[in-house]
Amino acid sequence: LQPDGSSRVVDALVGESLLQTAHRHEVELEGACEGVCACSTCHLILPMDMYNDLAEPSEDEEDMLDMAFGLEETSRLGCQIKVTEDMDGVELKMPAATRNFYVDGHVPKPH
């Protein structure tokens, strides 16, 4: 689910991050730090079962999530979640906004 409430289905490659998947499909998941866990702009809200299946977030990820807009119990950073085959058909939610402390308005382009 995108911030405006619309849905979009995309194909992900096993092993890439959710942020990489979003960028490859031009989904507006910001990723201001370009995926190095130094911001919270790739914040996603996961279904509880998916959240529970993942390893615990690192201390760095938890620190960045503390700054995320619209933090929820199942929030994670898209740059820290690698796609697995078990994620087929999963619906992720993007928060309504992000907090970009990097450079206001900076939107990095994937390499």
Side-chain angles (χ1 to χ4, degrees), residues 5-54:
S6 65
S7 293
R8 183 157 173 206
V9 176
V10 298
D11 291 322
L13 301 175
V14 171
E16 72 182 352
S17 73
L18 293 175
L19 177 62
Q20 289 169 317
T21 299
H23 284 178
R24 199 164 43 78
H25 291 281
E26 298 181 359
V27 173
E28 292 191 24
L29 186 62
E30 189 171 339
C33 73
E34 298 185 27
V36 297
C37 198
C39 73
S40 63
T41 62
C42 66
H43 168 216
L44 292 168
I45 301 157
L46 312 180
M48 184 60 80
D49 57 339
M50 179 181 170
Y51 181 86
N52 289 335
D53 287 344
L54 296 172

Side-chain angles (χ1 to χ4, degrees), residues 30-36 38-41 64 67 98-109 111:
E30 189 171 339
C33 73
E34 298 185 27
V36 297
C39 73
S40 63
T41 62
M64 293 299 107
M67 295 183 283
T98 62
R99 287 191 181 120
N100 183 349
F101 295 107
Y102 182 63
V103 174
D104 196 7
H106 171 75
V107 178
K109 298 294 180 200
H111 300 251

